[in-house]
Amino acid sequence: MDKIKDLIKKLGSLNYENLYQEDFFHTWDKSQDELEAIFTVADALRELRENNISPKIFDSGLAISLFRDNSTRTRFSYASAANLLGLEIQDLDEGKSQIAHGETVKETANMISFMAEVIGIRDDMYIGKGHTYMKNVSEYLKEGYDDGVLEQKPTIVNLQCDIDHPTQSMADILHVIHEFGGVENLKGKKVAMTWAYSPSYGKPLSVPQGISALFTRFGMDVVLAHPEGYEIMPEVEEIAKENAEKYGGSFTKVNSMEEAFKDADIVYPKSWAPFAAMEERTDLYAKGDQAGIDELEKRLLEANKDHMDWTCSEELMKTTKDGKALYMHCLPADITGVSCEHGEVDDTVFDRYRVPLYKEASFKPYIIAAMIFLQKVKDPEEMLQKLLDQNKNRVSK
Amino acid sequence: MDKIKDLIKKLGSLNYENLYQEDFFHTWDKSQDELEAIFTVADALRELRENNISPKIFDSGLAISLFRDNSTRTRFSYASAANLLGLEIQDLDEGKSQIAHGETVKETANMISFMAEVIGIRDDMYIGKGHTYMKNVSEYLKEGYDDGVLEQKPTIVNLQCDIDHPTQSMADILHVIHEFGGVENLKGKKVAMTWAYSPSYGKPLSVPQGISALFTRFGMDVVLAHPEGYEIMPEVEEIAKENAEKYGGSFTKVNSMEEAFKDADIVYPKSWAPFAAMEERTDLYAKGDQAGIDELEKRLLEANKDHMDWTCSEELMKTTKDGKALYMHCLPADITGVSCEHGEVDDTVFDRYRVPLYKEASFKPYIIAAMIFLQKVKDPEEMLQKLLDQNKNRVSK
Amino acid sequence: MDKIKDLIKKLGSLNYENLYQEDFFHTWDKSQDELEAIFTVADALRELRENNISPKIFDSGLAISLFRDNSTRTRFSYASAANLLGLEIQDLDEGKSQIAHGETVKETANMISFMAEVIGIRDDMYIGKGHTYMKNVSEYLKEGYDDGVLEQKPTIVNLQCDIDHPTQSMADILHVIHEFGGVENLKGKKVAMTWAYSPSYGKPLSVPQGISALFTRFGMDVVLAHPEGYEIMPEVEEIAKENAEKYGGSFTKVNSMEEAFKDADIVYPKSWAPFAAMEERTDLYAKGDQAGIDELEKRLLEANKDHMDWTCSEELMKTTKDGKALYMHCLPADITGVSCEHGEVDDTVFDRYRVPLYKEASFKPYIIAAMIFLQKVKDPEEMLQKLLDQNKNRVSK
C-alpha cells in the first residue's frame, strides 16, 4: 500500500483543480500538472484494483457512450472504466450515417443526461466535424446545467476525434513512463512517429497527431516521418513545435522512415490517410457524391502502393538504439503475412513485442477512469485516501 | 430534508396500496390517490437524489426493456430510473416487424423473467395491438408466478401503447403542478390539447389521448381541437368526459385551433394521425398489403396539407391568457424553419419555451422510478424514511 | 436456512477444487464430484435469492457475452446470473458471419479482458469450429494472464458449442433431480432422448449430445433414438457408452421412437440435423458455396419429411411409464397446430407439461451462476457461509 500512499502524496504536489467538472478534449488544453495528475490517479486506481480494493465512487449513475465509428478496444476500455467507478454504460446509437444538427443535438444531449455523469464520444471519421460536435454537446450540456434542466453536468471524455485521441496517446505515454522507469527518464529519448504502408484506406490521423502533440511535452526528440503528401494537420504540427521549445525537446519532420528509425528509442509505425484527402472526403460525403468518394478511395489506395517499402521490418528495427527500440502501436496492426500480404510491420517484429503492446493497451481503461475520477471528484487526494482506508474488497474474499 | 419529510407525510394520507405488485397500463385504471402517490414518490426520489442520497433499493435484478419502436428519450428515462433503484437494464430485441403470438409470447415472457423485477414495454405502432400485447404479457407473468415458475412477479410499466402514454402524461402534469405551484392551483385552468400540422405522417395518438384522459382529472377545462377527420379513439373521449364531470372540470371538442388557444393557460399543440386511418393501416399491415400502405401514406400526407395553418404561431400565442400560456410538447417537435419548412410551432415560440420544455421532460425518469418503487415496495413510507435515515451518498464525498 | 446449511455441508464432502480458475467446456471434462458441486451451489444460490439474501460477490467487473447465434433464453440466463453475482454484462458483437483467425482472436480476447471476470460464449453453428474457438480463446487468455497482461484470468463458460451444451444439460438434470426427489433416485430410470420431426432445418446437435453424455452418468438407462442417417457425433456416443459402464447404467441406440418411449420415465423428443450433413454444411460455408448450401437445405428438408411420424403424440405418451413420463425440452419446441402444422410434439402434451418445462428452464441461470461462483471463489463453502451470515437483503425491506 506504500505505493498508493506515494501516489497520493505526489498528487498533493500537483496543481490540477481545473480538471474538476471540465471536459477532456485535447491533451494540449491541459497543463503539465493536469496530465501528471491523470497519470498519477490512473496508477493509483490500478494499484487499488490490483490490491482488490474497490475504487467505486458512484452508487448509481449512467456513463453514456456515443460511438460514430466501430470500436471494440476503446468501447471495452470505456465500459471497464465506468463499471469500475460504479457507473452503468448506456449506448446512444444514433446511426453512423446520421449527422445531427444544432437543435437536435442540443435536445438529445439534454434528454439523455438527466442522470448521466459522463459522456464518452468517438467521432473520428470526418475532418472538421468530430471535435466540433463534442464542443457543441459540451456547450449544450453547460447551458442545460446553468438553466437548471440538469441537476449535474455530465462531463465529456473524447474517445477519439478528428484531431486528437487523448485516451490512446496518454495510455501510450504512461506505458512509456513505466517502461523507462519514470517520467524523468524520458528527456532526450528519440521517438519515431512514422507513417507505414497498409493495404486499407482512410485510417484516422488522430493517433499520429495525438502522439506528436503529447510526446513533445516530455523533453523527447520526436521525429514525424511520412511520404510527401501524407501531411497531418498543420495546427497540430504547430502545437508539437511549440511544445518542443517549451519542454526542451525537439520536433522534426522527415520524409524517410530510415532516418526516423536511426537510433530511435521508441518507434510508432502506423498508417494514416493524408489530411488533405480526408478534407476532400468530408466534402464529398457532405455533398453525397458517392462516385467522387469511390474515385478518391481508388486514388488513395493507388497512392499508398507507391510506399510499400514504408514498413517496420527486422532490418529497420536493427538500426534503432541497440536494435531494441520500444515498438508501439494503437492496435490492431496490419501485420505482413498475417493480417495482409504487405502491412505495417513484419510478423516477427510484432510477435517479439506482443506482450509490451498488450500492456500498452492495458493502460487505457485506467486513463479513462482517471479522467472521469478527476472530472467528478472534488477532492481526489482525500477520496483516494478514503478508498484506501475503507478497504472494500472488489471481489469478496 | 424537511421537504422529503413533508412528502412522506403526504404519502401517509393517501390510499395507494393497490399499486403494490400491480402493472401500470393506463392512468384511468388508477385512483386519484394512486396518481397522487406516484407524483409524491417521484418528488421524493428527486429530492433524495438532488441531496445526494441514494434511493437504491435493489442489490441485483433486471429491468427488461422491450421497445417495438425507436426511442431515445423514453429509453434513457427508463434506463435512468432502473439504474437509480439498482436494477440493470437488459434489452429484449424481438425485431420491430415480428408480431409474436400467444404461445411464443407466453414462453418468452417467462423465460426472460426468472430474475426480472420490471418490464418496460413500448408498443404504440398498431391500433388495437399495443395494449393487448401488454395485457397478454401481464397475464402470462401472473400465471408463471402463480404456478411457481417465477419466484417474483415482474411488473409492467407501459412506456407507450396505442391507447395511453402514462409516463409522458404524468411527467407532463407533474411539470404543470410544479409550474402552477401545486395541484390545488390547477382547478379552472384552460388546457388546449390541439392537433398541429407536421410534414411527417402517422404520429401516435397516445399523447393527445393520454393528456385528454389525465388532465380532465384535475378540474381543468380541457379543449381538444383538431381538423375534422382527426378524431382520437371514442373510448378515450368518453373517459375524458366522465372525468370532467366527476372532477368538476370540462372536456370540450372544437375544430378550431384559434378557439382552443383563446385565453388558454396551457397549450399542447402536436401532430397525430387520425384514429380511423391508423385502424386502416393496422389492417393493411396485417394483410401485408404494401401497395395499400403506400397509398394510405400518400393520402394522409395530402390530407395533412389541407391544415398547414394549424401551427403554434406567435400570433396565436398572443391570444392565450396574458399572451403567456405554458407551451408544452412531448418532444421532439417539428419546428418551422428548423427541423422542417412548416411545422407544429414557430421557432421563436419554441426557443422561448426551451427551458420549461426540457424541465417537463426531466420528470419522466422520476415518474418511472416512482411507478417501479410503488410496484415493488411493500411499505413505501417506511422505505423512504429508511433511505433518508441511512443517508447513503449516491456519489461518494 | 437449514437447507442452505445442509447444502454447504454437502459441498464440504465433495472434491471440487479443480473447478477454481478453470473454464467449463464439456460436462465430460469434469468429475462427478465437480458436477455435484455445481448442482449444490446452484441450489444454494437459489435458496439464498429466494430468501432475499444477496449472493453478490463482485463490487465491479465485466461479464462478457459473445453470441455467434441468436439467443433469448440463454442470453437472459447468462445476464441474470452475472447480475446476481455483481458483474455487468458487456456484449462483444463480432457479427455472425465473421470467422476470426488466430492473431485477431488472441488480440481481441486480451483487449476486452482487462477488467473481465468471465466470458460466456455461444458458438454452435459450425461442426468442428465452436469448441475449437473457445479453446483458442482460453489459451490466449491464459497466455495473457501468465505474461502479466491481464491482472485476473477471465474464465470461460460454454453457453453452447458444436459438441456440448452444458448449461442446458445440467439445468435439465438438476430439474430431473428435483422432480425425482434426489440424485439417488435416478438409478435405473429410463430416458428416451429421441429425434423428432420439425419443419425447420439445421438444429444443433449439442442438446442430444449433451444429454447422452450427461444423463448416462447417473446410472440411468439412456436410449438414443433417431431415424437412420441422423447420427450424432461418434466421439460423444463413445463417451456415453463409457459413462454407462462406469456409472452402472446403459446407453442404447434404436431407430424407433416407439421403442424408446416404451416404459420410459423421461422423454426428450427434439429435432436435430444429421452430423454428417452439418459437416458438409461447414465445408460449404468455408468454400462460400451458396448454391451448395441451398441445395443441402432443400435435400435435408426433404429427408426430414420422410419421418413426420416421429412426433411426441398423446398415443406415444400413453406407452411411457404409467403413461406419465416426464416430458422435457430445451425450448422453444415446434408444437403441432401451434407453431407449425406438424411438429415435435402434440399441443395437448406440451400444454400438460408447460409448468414443468418452464421450471426446467428456470435452473439455467442458477447453473451458470454456480459455474461462475466456483470458477472465481477460492473457498466456496466459506463464502456461502459468509453470504448467509452477512444476510444482506437483495431487495431492501
Side-chain angles (χ1 to χ4, degrees):
Chain A
M1 302 301 142
D2 284 353
K3 198 169 161 191
I4 302 179
K5 283 177 195 160
D6 288 349
L7 289 164
I8 297 173
K9 199 181 290 175
K10 185 178 174 191
L11 198 57
S13 72
L14 300 169
N15 210 325
Y16 63 88
E17 51 275 11
N18 285 343
L19 292 173
Y20 183 60
Q21 292 274 35
E22 290 301 317
D23 303 309
F24 200 108
F25 296 122
H26 304 137
T27 57
W28 51 86
D29 303 332
K30 306 297 178 188
S31 74
Q32 210 71 357
D33 267 19
E34 287 163 5
L35 298 187
E36 280 272 14
I38 292 171
F39 299 144
T40 307
V41 171
D43 282 344
L45 293 175
R46 184 166 206 148
E47 197 62 19
L48 285 171
R49 191 184 186 279
E50 295 193 355
N51 282 288
N52 198 33
I53 301 172
S54 172
K56 186 179 272 192
I57 51 170
F58 295 100
D59 194 54
S60 67
L62 301 184
I64 294 169
S65 71
L66 201 172
F67 281 79
R68 286 169 181 278
D69 196 2
N70 288 324
S71 166
T72 297
R73 284 151 189 79
T74 302
R75 183 182 285 278
F76 271 81
S77 290
Y78 181 65
S80 298
N83 172 263
L84 183 69
L85 299 178
L87 299 174
E88 187 179 352
I89 285 286
Q90 191 67 19
D91 289 323
L92 176 64
D93 183 7
E94 290 195 290
K96 272 195 242 171
S97 59
Q98 182 194 343
I99 300 184
H101 300 285
E103 189 63 43
T104 306
V105 174
K106 181 183 287 194
E107 200 172 294
T108 304
N110 276 276
M111 293 302 110
I112 62 177
S113 295
F114 297 127
M115 298 195 188
E117 294 289 346
V118 60
I119 305 184
I121 308 179
R122 177 171 203 156
D123 191 343
D124 61 322
M125 298 279 280
Y126 304 112
I127 286 288
K129 303 282 185 197
H131 172 59
T132 306
Y133 176 79
M134 292 183 202
K135 285 289 279 186
N136 286 342
V137 172
S138 170
E139 278 159 34
Y140 299 145
L141 291 174
K142 187 175 182 315
E143 206 180 304
Y145 180 65
D146 291 343
D147 289 338
V149 167
L150 303 177
E151 187 215 331
Q152 75 296 325
K153 190 176 79 71
T155 44
I156 292 175
V157 172
N158 172 7
L159 297 174
Q160 186 168 8
C161 73
D162 50 328
I163 309 178
D164 197 10
H165 193 348
T167 63
Q168 181 66 47
S169 63
M170 290 186 70
D172 290 342
I173 195 89
L174 189 51
H175 172 60
V176 170
I177 291 169
H178 280 266
E179 288 285 322
F180 285 78
V183 70
E184 61 279 9
N185 299 327
L186 269 48
K187 203 157 189 70
K189 294 289 181 296
K190 180 177 177 184
V191 181
M193 175 73 241
T194 96
W195 190 87
Y197 171 76
S198 152
S200 76
Y201 137 89
K203 300 214 170 180
L205 292 109
S206 50
V207 170
Q209 291 176 168
I211 297 297
S212 297
L214 183 64
F215 280 44
T216 44
R217 287 175 75 160
F218 298 91
M220 299 203 270
D221 295 317
V222 177
V223 181
L224 177 69
H226 56 73
E228 268 189 77
Y230 286 81
E231 279 70 27
I232 64 170
M233 291 173 77
E235 304 88 300
V236 180
E237 288 192 5
E238 214 43 57
I239 290 165
K241 275 182 221 161
E242 285 165 19
N243 285 340
E245 252 177 68
K246 189 167 170 189
Y247 298 106
S250 65
F251 178 67
T252 325
K253 283 180 63 185
V254 298
N255 287 146
S256 148
M257 201 170 184
E258 284 72 19
E259 199 178 332
F261 266 55
K262 179 88 185 107
D263 290 324
D265 298 278
I266 296 166
V267 295
Y268 205 131
K270 202 211 156 298
S271 191
W272 68 78
F275 166 57
M278 288 302 94
E279 278 195 315
E280 197 179 336
R281 188 174 71 158
T282 300
D283 290 345
L284 292 167
Y285 269 108
K287 284 181 210 151
D289 179 356
Q290 190 57 48
I293 292 164
D294 294 345
E295 193 275 326
L296 178 67
E297 174 171 356
K298 218 167 137 183
R299 179 151 48 92
L300 288 173
L301 284 172
E302 275 309 309
N304 272 6
K305 283 191 197 154
D306 292 342
H307 311 291
M308 290 178 66
D309 52 324
W310 285 68
T311 190
C312 181
S313 63
E314 285 288 7
E315 288 66 40
L316 223 45
M317 281 303 289
K318 281 185 192 135
T319 68
T320 65
K321 182 71 158 293
D322 302 327
K324 288 183 175 169
L326 180 66
Y327 168 78
M328 299 183 75
H329 200 284
C330 55
L331 302 180
D334 287 318
I335 308 164
T336 299
V338 176
S339 42
C340 57
E341 208 176 330
H342 293 282
E344 298 168 312
V345 59
D346 277 8
D347 56 348
T348 52
V349 174
F350 188 88
D351 261 9
R352 198 162 60 250
Y353 286 93
R354 181 180 293 108
V355 172
L357 280 168
Y358 286 9
K359 284 188 180 166
E360 178 186 349
S362 77
F363 289 100
K364 201 186 272 181
Y366 292 104
I367 286 289
I368 297 174
M371 286 178 180
I372 300 174
F373 193 93
L374 286 159
Q375 288 175 335
K376 311 305 288 191
V377 175
K378 195 153 179 56
D379 189 337
E381 292 149 54
E382 194 183 84
M383 182 62 78
L384 287 172
Q385 188 60 52
K386 190 180 150 188
L387 291 168
L388 188 61
D389 292 343
Q390 76 187 21
N391 193 19
K392 185 166 194 243
N393 284 346
R394 187 187 70 80
V395 188
S396 293
K397 289 281 170 213
Chain B
M1 303 302 144
D2 283 353
K3 198 171 162 190
I4 302 180
K5 284 178 194 161
D6 288 349
L7 289 164
I8 296 173
K9 199 181 290 176
K10 185 178 172 189
L11 198 57
S13 72
L14 300 169
N15 210 325
Y16 63 88
E17 52 275 13
N18 286 341
L19 291 173
Y20 182 60
Q21 292 275 36
E22 291 301 318
D23 303 310
F24 201 108
F25 296 123
H26 304 137
T27 57
W28 50 88
D29 303 332
K30 306 297 179 188
S31 73
Q32 211 71 357
D33 267 20
E34 287 163 5
L35 298 187
E36 281 272 13
I38 292 170
F39 299 144
T40 308
V41 171
D43 281 346
L45 293 175
R46 184 167 206 148
E47 197 62 19
L48 285 170
R49 189 182 188 280
E50 295 193 354
N51 283 287
N52 198 33
I53 301 172
S54 172
K56 186 179 271 193
I57 51 170
F58 295 101
D59 193 54
S60 68
L62 300 185
I64 295 169
S65 71
L66 202 172
F67 281 79
R68 287 168 180 278
D69 197 1
N70 288 324
S71 166
T72 297
R73 284 151 190 79
T74 302
R75 184 182 286 278
F76 271 80
S77 290
Y78 181 64
S80 299
N83 171 263
L84 183 68
L85 299 177
L87 299 173
E88 187 180 353
I89 285 288
Q90 191 67 19
D91 290 321
L92 176 64
D93 184 7
E94 292 195 288
K96 272 195 243 170
S97 59
Q98 182 194 344
I99 299 184
H101 300 286
E103 190 62 44
T104 307
V105 174
K106 182 183 287 193
E107 199 173 294
T108 305
N110 277 276
M111 293 303 109
I112 61 176
S113 295
F114 297 125
M115 298 194 188
E117 295 289 345
V118 60
I119 305 185
I121 308 179
R122 177 169 204 158
D123 191 343
D124 62 322
M125 297 278 282
Y126 305 112
I127 285 289
K129 304 281 184 197
H131 173 59
T132 306
Y133 176 80
M134 292 183 201
K135 284 289 277 187
N136 287 342
V137 171
S138 171
E139 278 158 33
Y140 299 145
L141 291 174
K142 189 176 179 315
E143 207 178 304
Y145 180 65
D146 290 344
D147 289 338
V149 166
L150 302 177
E151 186 216 331
Q152 74 297 325
K153 192 176 77 71
T155 44
I156 292 175
V157 172
N158 172 6
L159 297 175
Q160 187 168 8
C161 73
D162 50 328
I163 310 179
D164 198 9
H165 193 348
T167 63
Q168 180 66 47
S169 64
M170 290 186 68
D172 289 342
I173 195 92
L174 189 51
H175 172 60
V176 170
I177 291 169
H178 281 265
E179 288 285 321
F180 286 78
V183 70
E184 63 278 8
N185 299 328
L186 268 48
K187 204 158 188 68
K189 294 290 182 295
K190 181 178 177 183
V191 181
M193 175 72 242
T194 97
W195 188 87
Y197 171 77
S198 151
S200 77
Y201 137 87
K203 301 215 170 180
L205 292 109
S206 50
V207 171
Q209 292 177 166
I211 297 296
S212 297
L214 183 64
F215 280 44
T216 45
R217 287 175 76 160
F218 298 90
M220 299 202 270
D221 296 317
V222 177
V223 180
L224 177 69
H226 56 74
E228 267 189 78
Y230 286 80
E231 278 71 28
I232 64 171
M233 291 173 78
E235 303 90 300
V236 180
E237 288 194 4
E238 213 45 54
I239 289 165
K241 274 181 220 161
E242 285 164 19
N243 284 341
E245 252 175 67
K246 190 167 169 190
Y247 298 105
S250 65
F251 178 69
T252 324
K253 285 180 61 185
V254 299
N255 287 145
S256 148
M257 201 170 186
E258 285 72 19
E259 200 178 330
F261 265 55
K262 179 92 183 104
D263 290 324
D265 298 277
I266 295 166
V267 296
Y268 205 131
K270 200 209 158 300
S271 192
W272 67 81
F275 166 58
M278 288 303 93
E279 278 196 313
E280 197 179 336
R281 187 174 71 159
T282 300
D283 291 343
L284 291 166
Y285 270 107
K287 284 182 211 152
D289 179 357
Q290 190 58 48
I293 292 163
D294 293 346
E295 191 276 326
L296 178 67
E297 174 171 355
K298 216 167 137 185
R299 180 151 48 91
L300 288 174
L301 285 173
E302 275 309 310
N304 272 7
K305 283 191 197 154
D306 292 342
H307 311 292
M308 290 179 67
D309 52 324
W310 285 69
T311 191
C312 181
S313 63
E314 287 287 7
E315 289 65 41
L316 222 45
M317 283 302 290
K318 281 184 193 137
T319 69
T320 65
K321 182 70 158 293
D322 302 328
K324 288 183 176 168
L326 180 66
Y327 167 78
M328 298 183 77
H329 200 286
C330 55
L331 301 181
D334 287 317
I335 308 163
T336 299
V338 176
S339 42
C340 57
E341 206 175 333
H342 294 282
E344 298 168 310
V345 59
D346 278 8
D347 57 348
T348 52
V349 173
F350 188 87
D351 262 8
R352 198 162 61 248
Y353 286 93
R354 181 178 293 108
V355 172
L357 280 168
Y358 286 8
K359 285 188 179 165
E360 179 186 348
S362 77
F363 289 100
K364 202 188 272 182
Y366 292 104
I367 286 288
I368 297 173
M371 286 178 180
I372 300 174
F373 193 94
L374 286 159
Q375 288 174 335
K376 311 305 288 190
V377 175
K378 195 152 179 59
D379 189 337
E381 292 149 54
E382 195 182 84
M383 182 62 78
L384 286 173
Q385 188 60 52
K386 190 181 150 186
L387 291 168
L388 188 60
D389 292 344
Q390 76 187 19
N391 193 18
K392 184 166 195 243
N393 285 347
R394 187 187 70 79
V395 188
S396 293
K397 289 280 170 211
Chain C
M1 302 302 142
D2 284 352
K3 199 171 162 189
I4 301 179
K5 284 177 194 161
D6 288 348
L7 290 164
I8 296 173
K9 199 181 290 177
K10 186 178 171 189
L11 198 57
S13 72
L14 300 170
N15 210 326
Y16 63 89
E17 51 275 13
N18 285 342
L19 292 173
Y20 183 60
Q21 291 273 38
E22 290 301 318
D23 303 309
F24 201 108
F25 295 123
H26 304 137
T27 57
W28 49 89
D29 303 333
K30 306 298 179 189
S31 74
Q32 210 70 358
D33 267 21
E34 287 163 4
L35 298 188
E36 281 272 13
I38 292 170
F39 299 143
T40 307
V41 171
D43 281 345
L45 292 175
R46 183 168 205 147
E47 197 62 19
L48 285 170
R49 190 184 187 278
E50 295 192 355
N51 282 288
N52 199 31
I53 301 172
S54 172
K56 186 179 272 193
I57 51 171
F58 295 100
D59 194 54
S60 68
L62 300 185
I64 295 169
S65 71
L66 201 171
F67 282 79
R68 286 169 181 278
D69 197 1
N70 287 326
S71 166
T72 298
R73 284 151 190 79
T74 302
R75 184 182 284 279
F76 271 81
S77 290
Y78 181 65
S80 298
N83 172 263
L84 183 69
L85 299 177
L87 299 174
E88 187 179 352
I89 286 287
Q90 191 67 17
D91 290 321
L92 176 64
D93 184 7
E94 290 194 289
K96 272 195 243 172
S97 59
Q98 182 195 343
I99 299 182
H101 300 286
E103 189 62 44
T104 307
V105 174
K106 182 183 286 195
E107 198 172 296
T108 305
N110 277 276
M111 293 301 111
I112 61 177
S113 295
F114 297 125
M115 298 194 188
E117 294 288 346
V118 60
I119 305 184
I121 307 180
R122 176 169 204 157
D123 190 342
D124 62 323
M125 298 278 281
Y126 304 112
I127 285 289
K129 303 281 185 197
H131 173 59
T132 306
Y133 176 80
M134 292 182 202
K135 285 290 277 186
N136 286 342
V137 172
S138 170
E139 278 158 33
Y140 299 145
L141 290 174
K142 189 177 179 315
E143 207 178 304
Y145 180 64
D146 291 344
D147 289 339
V149 167
L150 302 178
E151 187 216 332
Q152 73 298 323
K153 189 176 80 69
T155 45
I156 292 175
V157 172
N158 172 6
L159 297 175
Q160 187 169 8
C161 73
D162 51 328
I163 310 178
D164 197 10
H165 192 348
T167 64
Q168 181 66 46
S169 63
M170 291 187 67
D172 290 342
I173 195 89
L174 189 50
H175 173 59
V176 171
I177 291 170
H178 280 266
E179 288 286 321
F180 285 77
V183 70
E184 61 279 9
N185 298 328
L186 268 48
K187 203 157 189 71
K189 294 290 182 296
K190 180 177 177 185
V191 181
M193 176 72 242
T194 96
W195 190 87
Y197 170 77
S198 151
S200 77
Y201 138 89
K203 299 214 172 181
L205 292 110
S206 50
V207 171
Q209 292 176 168
I211 297 297
S212 297
L214 182 65
F215 280 45
T216 44
R217 286 175 75 160
F218 298 91
M220 299 202 270
D221 296 316
V222 177
V223 181
L224 177 68
H226 56 74
E228 268 188 76
Y230 287 80
E231 279 71 28
I232 64 170
M233 291 173 77
E235 304 89 299
V236 180
E237 287 193 6
E238 214 45 56
I239 290 165
K241 275 182 220 160
E242 284 164 19
N243 285 342
E245 252 177 68
K246 188 167 170 188
Y247 298 105
S250 65
F251 178 67
T252 324
K253 284 179 63 186
V254 298
N255 286 146
S256 149
M257 200 170 187
E258 285 72 21
E259 200 178 331
F261 266 57
K262 179 89 183 108
D263 290 325
D265 298 278
I266 296 167
V267 296
Y268 205 130
K270 201 211 157 298
S271 191
W272 68 79
F275 166 58
M278 287 303 93
E279 278 195 315
E280 198 179 335
R281 187 174 70 158
T282 301
D283 291 345
L284 292 167
Y285 270 107
K287 285 180 211 153
D289 179 356
Q290 190 57 48
I293 293 164
D294 294 346
E295 192 276 326
L296 178 66
E297 175 171 354
K298 217 167 139 183
R299 179 152 48 93
L300 288 173
L301 284 173
E302 276 309 309
N304 273 7
K305 282 192 198 154
D306 292 341
H307 311 291
M308 289 179 67
D309 52 325
W310 285 69
T311 190
C312 181
S313 63
E314 286 288 6
E315 289 65 41
L316 222 45
M317 282 302 289
K318 281 185 192 137
T319 69
T320 65
K321 183 69 158 295
D322 303 327
K324 288 184 177 169
L326 181 65
Y327 167 79
M328 299 183 76
H329 199 285
C330 55
L331 302 179
D334 288 318
I335 308 163
T336 300
V338 176
S339 41
C340 57
E341 207 176 330
H342 294 281
E344 298 168 311
V345 59
D346 277 8
D347 57 347
T348 53
V349 174
F350 188 88
D351 261 9
R352 198 162 61 250
Y353 287 93
R354 181 179 292 106
V355 172
L357 281 168
Y358 287 9
K359 284 187 180 167
E360 179 186 347
S362 77
F363 289 100
K364 200 185 274 181
Y366 292 105
I367 287 288
I368 297 173
M371 286 179 179
I372 300 173
F373 193 94
L374 285 159
Q375 288 174 335
K376 310 306 287 188
V377 175
K378 196 153 179 57
D379 189 337
E381 292 150 54
E382 194 182 87
M383 182 62 78
L384 286 173
Q385 188 60 53
K386 189 180 151 188
L387 292 167
L388 188 62
D389 293 344
Q390 76 187 20
N391 193 20
K392 185 166 193 243
N393 284 346
R394 187 187 70 79
V395 187
S396 294
K397 290 280 169 210

